[in-house]
Each structure stands twice: as C-alpha cells, then as structure tokens.
C-alpha cells in the first residue's frame, strides 16, 4: 500500500487541500478568494489574511471528505514556492506544525513542477520525455520533462507572463479581474483576423509579452480618439484578435521546441490552458503535425492542491523529505 498524504497549496489566491492515497487523489478542496475582485489584481496582504482564515476549514474538509483520520497520514506536503511570500508562509507554517505534531515527514513542492505533474492525476498520462507549455498568471515556460522529478526549463518569458498579458489587456478593456476567462468568452463570437498587433521577436525558445501589451494600449488609445464607444462596439473582435495573437506566439515557440528536441508529445499546464482558443490551436496542430497533445481536466489546470499531492506522492517514493527548518521561496526554481 502506498502512502496517504495531505497536501496544501497557498501560493497565490486559492487556499486548497487534497488527500492522496496510494497514488490516487481522493479530493481537491479549494477556497477561492473573492476579496481581490475590487482591486483589479491579487493584493498580497489580503491574500495572506484570507489563507489564514481559510486554511483550517479547508484542511478539515479535505480530511473529512476523504474519510481519513489525521493519525493515518504518512506525510504532509506544502507549496514552498514560487508565489507570494506571505501567502506561502501560511501553508508552510501550517504544514510544518501538523507534521511536527503528528511526527510524520514533511514534503516541499515546487509549484510549477506540480502544474506539470497534474497530468498524472487522471488518464491519459503522457509518456516520457514530453514537452510541457506551462502558462499561468505568473509564468510562461516550455519545460522538457524527462521523468517525474527530472525537468528542465528550456524557454521562458523574459518579462510578463501570458496570463498577465490576458489580464492586463482585459483591464484596459474595462473587464474585471481576472480578465483572461472573459477575453476567452468574448473571443468565441469574434473575428480573430480583424485587428493585428505587432509582437516582439525573442531569440530561441524564450517569450516576451510586454511589447504586445504596449501595442494594445496604444491601439485602444488611438481608436478611442476616433470613436469613444470603440471598445463597446467591437469587444468580441478585439478579444478574438488579441487572443489569436497571444496564442500564435505560444504555438510558434512550442513548435520550435518540438522540432529542436524531436519530441511530439506535448502537454499544456497552468491556468491559461483553460483557454478554449489555445486548446483548439493545440488540437489543430496535433492533427497537422502528428503531435500527441495532453491537457489536464479544468479543475487541475488552475491552482489546486491535487497537483501538490501528486508531486508529493512521487517525492515520498524517493524519500525526498524536507527539514523542519525549511522556509518558503517566492522565486523558487526547479
Ligand atoms: O495557474 P493559475 O490558476 O494561477 C497562477 O499560478 O497564476 O492561472 C491564473 C491565470 C490568470 O491570469 C487567468 O486570467 C488565466 O490563468 N486564465 C485564462 C483562462 N482561464 C484562466 N486565460 C485565458 N483564458 C482562459 N479561459
Ligand atoms: Zn499556478
């Protein structure tokens, strides 16, 4: 029988807990923080406070619905980074205290690695090696995945993350935070070729999204000078065109990585993989180029503790335990 592990995620604005038993995720409890909606972005201090309020009920719910008595846990896992320091501190301190109180091992998890290992929660599971495009509000990375715990970042953004480009552009359109899902929704009824936005060229497999964001700002400013109601009248086409440009930039580098490494198994991870345009573009590329494409279920794309639990399972099998002196790292790498 494999281990039973409680995992905690608190890197940004979701407080989440999950239980994994013998490699099978039993649940995935998530408390979302609505407090940030009024501010147009996540407010770190408010996030920390909400985690502090949510963590006990969320963990309690996870243990209760999994029907696991805490005395039967074999380890406690937590997200060590990257993320907001104050938010990470809540999960780290809680996990440490619980592990110490129960005299069981503590497991630290790197959040970006966990986004990738979310692919091993359900079937179909990708075979090694594969390439993963991790796209979230804080990161845009192409990762070469050789094994569960053997990964290498081969390309990443040199400025903004693609989720940030979605959210900041949505803000310019007057949409509430987080605007990514709304851009996606409006784009579905728009013309993706109506407007074009220049994108910056970056060498190799890296990305840059600050150029397109600035171009978008100037574009809106100019059009609004001509017609005050420009956004209102063209919202669907604007969203569709913006989304098309962002997706094209992602697909271009992913294709390049696939050719360079001779790998046809491609996976998506992170919150932006919920984007319907990106999913469609991946499916089209799969048909055209013979790729095998893997996209996790929606609930495992955005931040969640199930992916932390899955990663902790693999770490437990290798006896990779953390010291009780461990502290969170806001900019943690693989
Ligand atoms: O992975 P995630 O939940 O949190 C981070 O670690 O950042 O990703 C959140 C990001 C936000 O930028 C949000 O706007 C974006 O994912 N997102 C989307 C969609 N759903 C979530 N962006 C575009 N289209 C979507 N459907
Ligand atoms: Zn994330």
């Amino acid at each position: 029988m494999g281990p039973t592990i409680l995992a905690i995620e608190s890197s940004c604005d979701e407080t989440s807990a999950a239980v994994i038993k013998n490699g099978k995720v039993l649940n995935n409890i998530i408390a979302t923080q609505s407090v940030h909606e009024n501010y147009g972005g996540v407010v770190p201090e408010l996030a920390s406070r909400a985690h502090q309020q949510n963590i006990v009920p969320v963990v309690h719910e996870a243990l209760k619905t999994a029907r696991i008595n805490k005395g039967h846990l074999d380890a406690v896992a937590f997200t060590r980074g990257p993320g907001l320091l104050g938010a990470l501190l809540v999960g780290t301190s809680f996990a440490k205290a619980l592990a110490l109180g129960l005299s069981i091992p503590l497991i630290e998890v790197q959040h970006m690695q966990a986004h990738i290992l979310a692919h091993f929660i359900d079937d179909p599971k990708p075979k090694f090696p594969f390439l993963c495009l991790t796209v979230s509000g804080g990161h845009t990375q192409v990762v070469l995945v050789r094994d569960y715990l053997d990964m290498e970042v081969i390309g990443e953004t040199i400025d903004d993350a693609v989720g940030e480009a979605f959210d900041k552009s949505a803000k310019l359109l007057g949409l509430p935070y987080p605007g990514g899902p709304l851009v996606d929704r409006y784009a579905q009824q728009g013309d993706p070729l109506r407007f074009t936005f220049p994108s910056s060229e970056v060498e190799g497999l890296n990305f840059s999204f600050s150029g397109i964001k600035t171009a978008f700002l100037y574009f809106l400013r100019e059009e609004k000078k001509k017609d005050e109601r420009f956004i209102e009248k063209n919202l669907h086409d604007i969203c569709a065109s913006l989304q098309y440009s962002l997706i094209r930039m992602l697909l271009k580098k992913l294709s390049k990585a696939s050719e360079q490494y001779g790998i046809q198994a491609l996976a998506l991870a992170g919150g932006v993989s919920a984007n319907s345009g990106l999913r469609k573009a991946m499916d089209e590329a799969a048909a055209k180029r013979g790729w095998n494409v893997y996209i996790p279920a929606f609930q495992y794309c955005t931040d969640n503790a199930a992916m932390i639990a899955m990663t902790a399972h693999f770490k437990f099998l290798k006896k990779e335990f953390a010291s009780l002196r461990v502290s969170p790292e806001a900019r943690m790498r693989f």
Side-chain angles (χ1 to χ4, degrees):
M1 191 56 143
T4 303
I5 306 169
L6 169 75
I8 293 162
E9 154 65 31
S10 73
S11 66
C12 191
D13 60 343
E14 331 269 357
T15 319
S16 181
V19 178
I20 188 166
K21 187 177 181 182
N22 201 18
K24 192 175 175 308
V25 168
L26 300 184
N27 56 15
N28 185 32
I29 310 297
I30 302 175
T32 344
Q33 305 178 357
S34 52
V35 57
H36 309 287
E37 275 163 20
N38 306 329
Y39 298 90
V42 176
V43 185
E45 299 277 305
L46 296 180
S48 309
R49 185 159 58 182
H51 283 305
Q52 193 73 267
Q53 287 164 343
N54 293 340
I55 196 150
V56 171
V58 164
V59 167
H60 183 75
E61 187 69 13
L63 291 172
K64 196 174 97 184
T65 56
R67 295 172 182 272
I68 298 286
N69 185 305
K70 59 182 179 304
H72 291 130
L73 290 174
D74 296 307
V76 183
F78 68 99
T79 305
R80 183 177 174 205
L84 302 169
L85 193 63
L88 292 165
L89 272 166
V90 177
T92 307
S93 305
F94 189 94
K96 270 193 195 185
L98 191 59
L100 187 62
L102 296 171
S103 299
I104 53 175
L106 182 67
I107 301 175
E108 60 168 80
V109 172
Q110 206 272 6
H111 182 88
M112 303 311 293
Q113 192 167 41
H115 266 303
I116 296 173
L117 294 177
H119 284 95
F120 295 91
I121 297 174
D122 286 333
D123 287 328
K125 301 178 173 95
K127 291 206 172 56
F128 301 112
F130 65 92
L131 294 175
C132 186
L133 175 67
T134 312
V135 278
S136 74
H139 298 270
T140 307
Q141 297 181 327
V142 183
V143 182
L144 168 61
V145 188
R146 295 190 193 91
D147 204 341
Y148 298 114
L149 301 172
D150 181 5
M151 307 181 183
E152 186 189 337
V153 178
I154 56 171
E156 64 188 327
T157 180
I158 57 168
D159 41 53
D160 292 347
V162 65
E164 216 176 336
F166 266 105
D167 295 339
K168 287 183 178 167
S169 305
K171 197 171 175 183
L172 296 175
L173 294 171
L175 301 174
Y177 177 85
L182 292 170
V183 171
D184 186 4
R185 198 194 305 160
Y186 293 123
Q188 287 174 28
Q189 291 143 43
D191 175 2
L193 302 176
R194 170 97 185 275
F195 307 110
T196 45
F197 308 108
S199 54
S200 19
E201 281 296 324
V202 194
E203 268 186 47
L205 298 172
N206 285 340
F207 303 88
S208 165
F209 293 102
S210 65
I212 187 167
K213 190 188 64 190
T214 314
F216 190 66
L217 170 73
Y218 290 136
F219 162 78
L220 290 179
R221 208 178 268 173
E222 284 308 307
E223 294 296 336
K224 277 200 291 193
K225 264 190 220 159
K226 290 182 239 160
D227 178 359
E228 233 174 63
R229 296 181 54 227
F230 173 76
I231 294 180
E232 228 178 291
K233 287 181 187 163
N234 300 284
L235 188 60
H236 294 109
D237 290 347
I238 299 171
C239 288
S241 303
L242 173 74
Q243 181 166 301
Y244 178 82
S245 305
L246 291 172
I247 292 171
R248 219 180 42 171
M249 292 163 79
L250 293 173
L251 264 284
K252 195 171 148 190
K253 292 299 166 103
L254 197 55
S255 308
K256 194 168 177 178
S258 162
E259 274 169 32
Q260 208 167 308
Y261 286 82
I263 295 176
Q264 306 278 323
L266 301 172
L268 280 185
V272 182
S273 41
N275 184 273
S276 60
L278 179 57
R279 285 171 175 247
K280 207 166 133 226
M282 289 292 280
D283 286 340
E284 281 166 11
K288 203 168 114 196
R289 301 165 198 260
W291 289 355
N292 285 322
V293 170
Y294 300 89
I295 307 174
F298 180 74
Q299 59 163 329
Y300 302 134
C301 284
T302 47
D303 287 350
N304 68 86
M307 67 186 194
I308 306 300
M310 197 68 242
T311 310
H313 174 80
F314 297 124
K315 288 196 135 186
F316 189 100
L317 299 183
K318 293 188 105 183
K319 297 206 164 29
E320 284 190 24
F321 301 130
S323 137
L324 280 173
R325 293 183 57 84
V326 68
S327 61
E329 262 190 60
R331 299 186 159 275
M332 190 179 181
R333 314 258 327 159
F334 277 6

